[in-house]
Amino acid sequence: MDPGQLKRYYLGGLTDDEQRDLEARCFEDDDLFAELMEGQTDLVHAYVRGQMSSTDREAFEKHFLRTPAGRRKVRLTRTVLGAIGELDADRVGSRAPVSTTAKGL
C-alpha cells in the first residue's frame, strides 16, 4: 500500500470513494488489513510522542480523535508508552491538546 494513502486514510484526506475502496479491499486482503492497522499504530505513536507536523496533528485530532475508539487508542498508547518510559516528558508533557481535553484525553 502506498504509505501516503495510508496516512491520508487516517488523517481524513481520502475521497469517500477512495476510502470505501480501501476498506473493501481490507475485507479481502488480510495483509492489507494488517498493514492498515500497523500504520494506525505508527500514527498514534507519532501523535502521542509529539512527532507530527502541526498540519498532520490538526488533521489527526479532527479526523481520528472524533471517535471514542480513536480517543481510547490515544489514551491507552499514552499510558503504555509512559509506563515503559518511552515518552519524553519535556517534549510531550502530560497535557492533552486543547481540542481533545474536553473529550476525556
Side-chain angles (χ1 to χ4, degrees), residues 19 67 77 92:
Q19 184 173 335
T67 67
T77 300
V92 177

Side-chain angles (χ1 to χ4, degrees), residues 43-58:
L43 281 173
V44 170
H45 282 213
Y47 177 78
V48 169
R49 289 180 170 134
Q51 298 172 333
M52 283 186 165
S53 70
S54 60
T55 302
D56 286 351
R57 180 181 42 77
E58 289 173 21

Side-chain angles (χ1 to χ4, degrees), residues 1-20:
M1 169 185 280
D2 170 24
Q5 183 183 30
L6 186 141
K7 184 176 175 182
R8 287 191 316 275
Y9 175 77
Y10 284 115
L11 301 182
L14 296 182
T15 66
D16 290 342
D17 288 341
E18 289 172 325
Q19 184 173 335
R20 277 191 296 273

Side-chain angles (χ1 to χ4, degrees), residues 61-75:
E61 290 172 357
K62 181 179 178 184
H63 187 73
F64 191 82
L65 296 182
R66 72 178 179 193
T67 67
R71 294 188 298 271
R72 278 191 304 272
K73 287 176 186 176
V74 167
R75 264 195 318 271

